[in-house]
Amino acid sequence: MVRIGYTMMTEQAGPRDLVDHVVGAERAGFDFAVISDHSFPWLEAQGHAPYAWSVLGAAAQATSRIPLMTYVTCPTFRYHPAVVAQKAATMQLLSQGRFRLGLGSGENLNEHIVGAGWPAAHVRLEMLEESVEIIRALFAGGNVSHHGRHFDVENARLWDLPDEPPPIGIAASGDRSCELAGLHGDLLVATEPKRELVTAFGAYGGAGKPCVGQLPVSYDPDRAAAVARAHDQFRWALGGWKVNAELPGPAGFAQASQHTRPEDVADAIPCGDDVDAFVDAVRPYSDAGFTEIALVQVGGDRQRPFLDWAETKLLPALREL
């Protein structure tokens, strides 16, 4: 049975609300929760970007059952991989084994703030691969020194290590990233329901491992309001990952999506309260071989109604998948 998750989207809610939302998601019966890790929202209409790792610590204390996961953290620019390893080990201890570390090569939107430039995609993947090697070495215990092509680590050590290190998920959108995920990851992370991603991940060593997808949805009893909100806050998502990884700020995403119509968004994102439409939107991930799908309810102020509806209507229907 496909596991259904909930997304704490830091771009659309403040830190206290995000914790409140994941408590509600646990109560509603979601199987797991993920959190985005941003320094900027995609569009100014979203209006938020709190520090995800502080929210995760609070969420670990406020919940007792629901697994938590970054979706995803970039361990190459804003954060040095040795720092990410320390944060992830601490989260695994705080959550008592409920944490998974999702990693990706990042977006210029978030990583530009440290002024390190934004290299080509193949370089970003090289950096990600090296960072995973560093993180795994620190998870293994003992002192670690590393002098690589992109990173240096000098006599680092994690003094508080969980008995079991957090599993590492790696985001993929093409063959090279699927290779990296298959060779170095414990699970695949993707935002498109493409069977070829799951197939490639399996061929490179990920066969039998979890594959986690993500789907934006816009619940509202008033479908017109749901469409308007999705267009206002989520039209950027139709740009595709090759575009979304490169743009440097919300103004760029606003310009890039200025000709996207509400009906275009409604064709891509299930809107309203028709349970069958939401199930139909999830089904391509299930059919492609994804074992877990995290839903993103659009609109920071519409989480509680969504969670109530999901508990009584949507989750029971999705269990049938």
Side-chain angles (χ1 to χ4, degrees), residues 11-63:
E11 304 94 288
Q12 65 179 16
R16 294 181 66 89
D17 285 337
L18 289 165
V19 175
D20 181 62
H21 296 160
V22 76
V23 169
E26 180 177 66
R27 186 181 304 119
F30 279 88
D31 297 315
F32 66 100
V34 305
I35 188 169
S36 57
D37 186 353
H38 273 238
S39 60
F40 271 74
W42 300 97
L43 295 168
E44 287 194 13
Q46 293 175 314
H48 293 275
Y51 184 55
W53 290 87
S54 295
V55 175
L56 277 168
Q61 296 302 293
T63 59

Side-chain angles (χ1 to χ4, degrees), residues 16 20 28 61 67 111 113 134 147 157 176 178 182 200 206-207 209 237 240 255 265 274 277 281 297 303:
R16 294 181 66 89
D20 181 62
Q61 296 302 293
E111 309 309 321
I113 65 171
I134 293 168
H147 302 285
R157 178 179 174 182
R176 176 67 184 99
C178 283
K209 297 178 181 178
Q255 184 174 7
V265 176
D274 182 346
Q297 164 65 8
Q303 300 302 305

Side-chain angles (χ1 to χ4, degrees), residues 229-266:
R229 186 171 61 252
H231 180 260
D232 180 50
Q233 297 191 24
F234 235 88
R235 64 186 184 275
W236 60 270
L238 276 64
W241 207 248
K242 288 185 178 180
V243 173
N244 292 346
E246 303 297 334
L247 296 176
F253 284 93
Q255 184 174 7
S257 61
Q258 63 181 321
H259 299 302
T260 302
R261 305 170 302 170
E263 53 265 39
D264 298 326
V265 176

Side-chain angles (χ1 to χ4, degrees), residues 174-215:
D175 188 72
R176 176 67 184 99
S177 50
C178 283
E179 179 183 18
L180 199 159
L183 292 173
H184 299 285
D186 300 305
L187 54 143
L188 173 73
V189 173
T191 58
E192 297 177 286
K194 293 182 177 180
R195 179 176 291 277
E196 57 264 35
L197 297 177
V198 176
T199 300
F201 174 61
Y204 287 118
K209 297 178 181 178
C211 298
V212 189
Q214 190 177 53
L215 174 72

Side-chain angles (χ1 to χ4, degrees), residues 212-227:
V212 189
Q214 190 177 53
L215 174 72
V217 301
S218 186
Y219 163 76
D220 200 294
D222 182 342
R223 187 174 187 276
V227 172

Side-chain angles (χ1 to χ4, degrees), residues 47-73:
H48 293 275
Y51 184 55
W53 290 87
S54 295
V55 175
L56 277 168
Q61 296 302 293
T63 59
S64 60
R65 175 194 59 82
I66 195 165
L68 304 167
M69 176 181 174
T70 50
Y71 203 102
V72 291
T73 283

